[in-house]
Amino acid sequence: SKYVSDAQLVPPGTERASLTYFDAKAVMQALLDAGLGEKTLFGGYSNAHTAQWADIVRRFEAGSIHLADAASAMAQAVGYELPALKKEAARAEKELSELVRRQGEYERLAAAAEERYVAACDKKGLGTDCSREEIGRRLRESRSL
């Protein structure tokens, strides 16, 4: 059987005393995913760590403590996480509107540059055929004169 240390079982940044039902479920799922979910003939887990975490999860569920953890997580989300997400969305919208404004400005600048280019071509007598090839051909012709 595979060995898993106690330090690996507790989620990083979590004190043992502040473990929630969701932490316990995540640890239990990690143990099962690691292949430590073999059961004995009597239905218990053969790995001691898996058996302990299964017992912790069972106790949370038996006392309906997991419902209090869920309510606490929802209150945390409503009180802190949702306002933070709203602020982040507002910042993203502001950045998007700034980018749209800058895009419009660049499009106006490009159109003005194109107008100046066409006017310069007209002034030189190139008309609508103001391509690089035509300009190069005319330059070669003028040099040969």
Side-chain angles (χ1 to χ4, degrees):
S1 118
K2 299 176 184 173
Y3 175 74
V4 178
S5 72
D6 285 339
Q8 291 174 307
L9 293 177
V10 179
T14 306
E15 297 291 325
R16 281 180 181 255
S18 66
L19 282 174
T20 66
Y21 169 73
F22 300 106
D23 295 330
K25 287 288 283 188
V27 170
M28 185 65 192
Q29 189 59 50
L31 289 168
L32 295 175
D33 292 345
L36 300 173
E38 295 178 22
K39 292 198 173 189
T40 65
L41 184 62
F42 301 108
Y45 288 101
S46 58
N47 180 279
H49 292 297
T50 307
Q52 287 175 335
W53 283 99
D55 183 53
I56 291 169
V57 169
R58 202 171 23 260
R59 287 175 188 224
F60 267 112
E61 291 171 348
S64 297
I65 298 171
H66 67 290
L67 298 176
D69 275 348
S72 175
M74 286 175 30
Q76 172 77 17
V78 169
Y80 299 103
E81 293 174 23
L82 290 179
L85 289 173
K86 285 181 181 179
K87 282 183 182 178
E88 187 176 329
R91 276 194 300 271
E93 284 182 16
K94 184 178 178 182
E95 183 178 353
L96 178 63
S97 67
E98 174 63 18
L99 291 171
V100 167
R101 183 194 66 77
R102 285 172 47 192
Q103 179 184 7
E105 183 179 327
Y106 292 143
E107 287 173 353
R108 284 190 300 279
L109 289 172
E114 186 177 359
E115 286 176 16
R116 287 193 309 274
Y117 180 72
V118 169
C121 287
D122 285 342
K123 186 176 178 181
K124 299 293 181 185
L126 295 173
T128 58
D129 188 14
C130 202
S131 64
R132 283 183 173 215
E133 293 80 21
E134 180 62 19
I135 293 171
R137 187 185 65 75
R138 292 209 179 188
L139 279 173
R140 285 189 296 278
E141 284 179 2
S142 66
R143 287 186 186 148
S144 65
L145 292 177

